Amino acid sequence: MALTLKNYQQQALDVLKNFFIQSRISDSKEAFEGIVNHPQAFAHERVSYIDFFPDSAADVPSVCLRVPTGGGKTLIAAHCIAETAQNYAGTNAPVVLWLVPSDAIRQQTLKALADVSHPYRQAVMQTYGDYVKVCDLDSLQTINPHDTGKSCLIIVTTIQAFNISKTEKRNVYAFFEELSPHFAGLTPQQEQGMERVDEATIKSQPYLTCNDIGRVKHSLANWFHLHRPIVILDEAHKNRTKLSFTTFSRLNPLCLVELTATPRGNNVLYSVSAAELKAEQMIKLPIVLTEHPDGWQACLRDAVLQRQQLEIDAQRDSQYIRPIVLVQAQPKGSEATVDVVRAHLINELNIDEHEIAVSTGSVKELNDVNLSAPDCPIRFVITVEALREGWDCPFAYVLASLQNMNSAVDVEQILGRVLRMPYARSRPVDSLNKAYAHVIAESTAQAAANLKDRMVNNMGFNRWEADIAFANNEQGRLDVTQEQNTTLTPRIVPEVAITLSHVPDTAHFPDEVNKAIQVLHTTGGGATILIKSGASEDTFKQVEHFVVGQTTKKKQAEVQEAFNNARAERQAAQAPEWYQTFALIPQLCLFADGEWQVVEKEVIENLVDFNLLKYPLNLAFNIREMANSYEIDMNIDGEHVTYRHIVTEQLNFNDMQSELTENDLVMWLDKQVRQQGITQSDMRSYLVKLMGYLQHERKFSLTALIRCQFQLAQAIREEISRLLTVARTEAFQGELFEQMTVAPELGQYNQFEFKAGQYPVRQAYRGSYAFNKHFYGQIDDLREKKTNGQDTEEFICARLIDLHPSVKQWVRNIPKQHNTSFWLPVASGYFYPDFVCELNDGSLVVIEYKGEHLVTNDDSKEKESVGLQWAKESQGSRRFIMVRSQKEDFQHRTIEQQLNEILA
């Protein structure tokens, strides 16, 4: 059974699917920019699409999914195949070229995709069943021409197999007689753009003669050109050269789907945040960082003690966990080399030699070792630079880097191994939900600043995510495993480091400011300002004012951003989530089947007597045949759209007899449009009835419907979704709505909880105003300024909430995060209010802000109605308000006046 996708993984695939649907409607540029620049997207500045194939005769969509280290990029890539093939390629038997950065990754990916029990293979089999073939380039030569077009064919190789300026020097471009059957009977149009035999080819392959010059090469590259593969590009940031895209052009790809943690000029369609990985229990955070200014022996000693405590804690876990330390030794010629560290562990720290493994370029003691096996004794892995690519062990908990932080090589790559969460599930013992790093450094803040840079540049963390990834070892260097602090005393403001490209002049700083900071000179004439632990906000502002004021106008924005990041880091360390809880929030329920049930979308659908067959047959779908093309008109989301397809010859294909029958089409459509809550018998009956309607009343031939079956499936999905919304809307407008209420008996199952550490921010607030009462250390997607420099209305709203004396704490609610955000049911699905407040008296206030352009639409009216229904009959313990601009408010009240009335 295939792994259930995490929420962020499914959302990434949903956006990719929408992109490909829209690309067939218009083109890739319009589709991309329409998605990433949508008002509900997270791009704060308009993003433009880059066409990497400007010389191609066809539109070649090229988009990137950004997923940080530990987020399961390869699993997403496996699911991308079906989404791309079904929604853009229009085929049930795609040819997929899966490119990876190294031979080690190639072998691992091949092995996984060939194993029917592996999640990657199962992801592909969900759509194609047993009709999946996986091979490398060498095996491709043995593929029979008749096999192509009958199975999903995945070819895994490295980009290096193709990348070269002189193609005769790569076997992939060589002429192979074994491939000749694949090139039999090609039309001139199919041959267009293929490489042909020339004099250089004859020199490298002497069995060819001058008579072959001009002949299409029977090569692997031309085979790809013929079949227009879907290209999946893993670690895409490593292939951004001009030569790489020249290579892709030679292969004539249908589209390019890239995955990486660190985009470099890619068309980033969807970006996953590290906070989402944390909320989905994929990675361990925070990283508890301990600095050791007194040498590598102390660093190694404390890492050993840390691991011993974690192993004791792991005995309280129901699943087997054996915490492992990754030791980064110093290179040859240094003091703490691999051999010295190994001897020190055995002779000085009494570690059994069987518990130690070495993994370096020359010593590979981890090969074929399953570190997760209960009978594996290894508890320490010693390396120097990068561990073997693709190596993964979620039992790795502690990093001990014995190299100086300023010059450590590949430390971020080793740190990435420590972040994986065992079994991708939060552990019941809190210490096992964190990662631990022991480093040689004079200052924790300076060490953290160094690691943050590595995380941003190489691990896919945003700067604001890296800023909150570290927690200082507040209990001393050894004991960092105590359970979560239950006192109401906020944590001490941590030391923070601010990196500058210049050395600030502190001679005229007030004495109290100079006492609170330390200036460390860095290479290249720059400096790091350390603002010491416990410094007040007023002191921080003074340092900010002096330093920014000294900076040239050209660099001021950059320095201001550094201070904004530092302010957010200080604020995150004091967030209430770490020392108190948020009040439980009752959810709307319905009494059904003898019990109170939370009003999920499925609950409404189960209570509504939904029958596809009771609605009049209707489909926003049309085909118009022309001389050299046909257009398919559809209506998606209330907008008229048109698909355009080019037909190569002037024939009326729709009048031709199809080999497929109507039953074949119905069976195929049944798989494509299947919906939860609709039985297969009802769906089949609906599809049979729909086929009759389309052929007899709309006068489409069966061949015409088969030719555009993918667009037909999309039109049917949209129609069924529309009918379900109609049914739910009818229910919301009837007696069912009045029956929705908070259950008389409250329990865990019918109340929502904002949980510590589970706040999947995708775009963090980085304004100059310091919020004091937000429950989480970060605030999601809150923009301080408009483009004209004025404060945004939502920021004004948030600041007023934060300043209000009645508010104890509040949360900026994140939309479309069903498990970690508070939601209310609406006919179309779910409504995520903007702000949720807990007042000092324990009451709850839910606030939704609507701007002028949205305030009067039906959507807002429905949200307001359901919010008021949630607050109903609570004697003031639950309140809801739809805050409007002063211009649109019925009484012309300001935002502050509206909030004061509801918060008082």
Side-chain angles (χ1 to χ4, degrees), residues 45-182:
E45 295 181 2
R46 184 168 180 81
V47 179
S48 297
Y49 179 78
I50 304 170
D51 185 359
F52 292 111
F53 302 93
D55 298 327
S56 175
D59 182 29
V60 182
S62 174
V63 290
C64 175
L65 303 178
R66 173 194 168 273
V67 185
T69 297
K73 288 191 297 293
T74 312
L75 180 63
I76 295 174
H79 282 276
C80 283
I81 293 173
E83 294 294 357
T84 307
Q86 292 180 345
N87 298 293
Y88 189 75
T91 176
N92 279 325
V95 172
V96 180
L97 178 58
W98 188 308
L99 296 173
V100 295
S102 69
D103 192 62
I105 297 292
R106 180 188 68 83
Q107 293 179 37
Q108 292 168 24
T109 306
L110 266 172
K111 182 179 179 181
L113 286 170
D115 180 0
V116 294
S117 65
H118 197 281
Y120 301 165
R121 175 61 175 259
Q122 290 175 351
V124 182
M125 291 175 64
Q126 277 185 329
T127 301
Y128 302 105
D130 295 331
Y131 294 96
V132 180
K133 290 184 180 294
V134 181
C135 65
D136 57 15
L137 279 179
D138 293 336
S139 305
L140 184 59
Q141 297 179 39
T142 65
I143 295 290
N144 190 297
H146 300 294
D147 290 336
T148 308
K150 293 184 179 178
S151 298
C152 172
L153 178 58
I154 307 172
I155 304 98
V156 183
T157 187
T158 62
I159 187 66
Q160 289 80 8
F162 297 93
N163 264 357
I164 197 163
S165 56
K166 295 183 178 180
T167 57
E168 65 272 9
K169 295 185 178 181
R170 282 280 190 274
N171 280 340
V172 73
Y173 299 104
F175 192 107
F176 287 102
E177 288 293 347
E178 297 90 338
L179 291 173
S180 294
H182 292 273

Side-chain angles (χ1 to χ4, degrees), residues 42 61-62 127 146 264 276 301 323 351 369 374 377 389 402 463 524 528 595 616 712-713 831 862 881:
F42 287 85
S62 174
T127 301
H146 300 294
R264 301 283 190 271
E276 289 179 277
R301 176 202 65 214
I351 303 301
V369 174
E389 283 188 294
L402 310 185
R463 169 55 63 181
T528 297
E595 61 179 355
L712 177 60
F831 155 46
E862 182 186 19
I881 185 174

Side-chain angles (χ1 to χ4, degrees), residues 749-795:
Y749 75 96
N750 59 20
Q751 294 188 94
F752 172 79
E753 180 182 4
F754 285 115
K755 295 181 179 179
Q758 296 190 22
Y759 187 66
V761 186
R762 289 190 57 206
Q763 186 70 48
Y765 165 75
R766 277 298 181 267
S768 58
Y769 177 78
F771 288 94
N772 295 312
K773 297 179 183 177
H774 194 260
F775 182 64
Y776 293 103
Q778 299 292 321
I779 303 175
D780 182 65
D781 195 37
L782 184 65
R783 308 182 194 192
E784 184 176 15
K785 301 292 183 182
K786 300 178 183 177
T787 54
N788 61 8
Q790 294 181 342
D791 289 345
T792 67
E793 287 85 353
E794 282 191 310
F795 169 75

Side-chain angles (χ1 to χ4, degrees), residues 31 63 111 151 170 186 196 218 245 301 335 338 341 386 465 509 532 560 628 636 709 733 831 841 890:
V63 290
K111 182 179 179 181
S151 298
R170 282 280 190 274
L186 297 186
R196 297 177 180 269
H218 296 174
F245 286 100
R301 176 202 65 214
E335 180 184 355
V338 170
V341 169
E465 293 172 325
F509 285 13
K532 296 178 182 179
Q560 184 61 64
N628 292 302
I636 297 179
Q709 60 189 25
Q733 293 173 348
F831 155 46
D841 63 3
F890 304 124

Side-chain angles (χ1 to χ4, degrees), residues 693-711:
Y693 162 76
L694 291 172
Q695 291 179 78
H696 302 303
E697 295 188 35
R698 298 287 303 278
K699 306 301 181 184
F700 295 126
S701 69
L702 177 61
T703 303
L705 296 175
I706 291 171
R707 285 177 63 204
C708 51
Q709 60 189 25
F710 288 92
Q711 294 84 2

Side-chain angles (χ1 to χ4, degrees), residues 8 81 192 226 280 291 293 372 408 511 533 542 607 662 666 684 826-827 831 899:
Y8 68 85
I81 293 173
Q192 189 174 353
L226 175 64
E280 291 284 0
E291 85 284 6
S372 298
D511 289 342
S533 176
Q542 287 188 66
L607 293 174
E662 180 180 320
V666 167
R684 290 288 294 272
V826 289
F831 155 46
L899 287 174

Side-chain angles (χ1 to χ4, degrees), residues 340-358:
V340 170
V341 169
R342 188 176 187 278
H344 188 83
L345 284 170
I346 295 170
N347 300 325
E348 302 298 328
L349 300 176
N350 298 320
I351 303 301
D352 190 318
E353 62 179 326
H354 295 102
E355 295 182 355
I356 305 169
V358 174

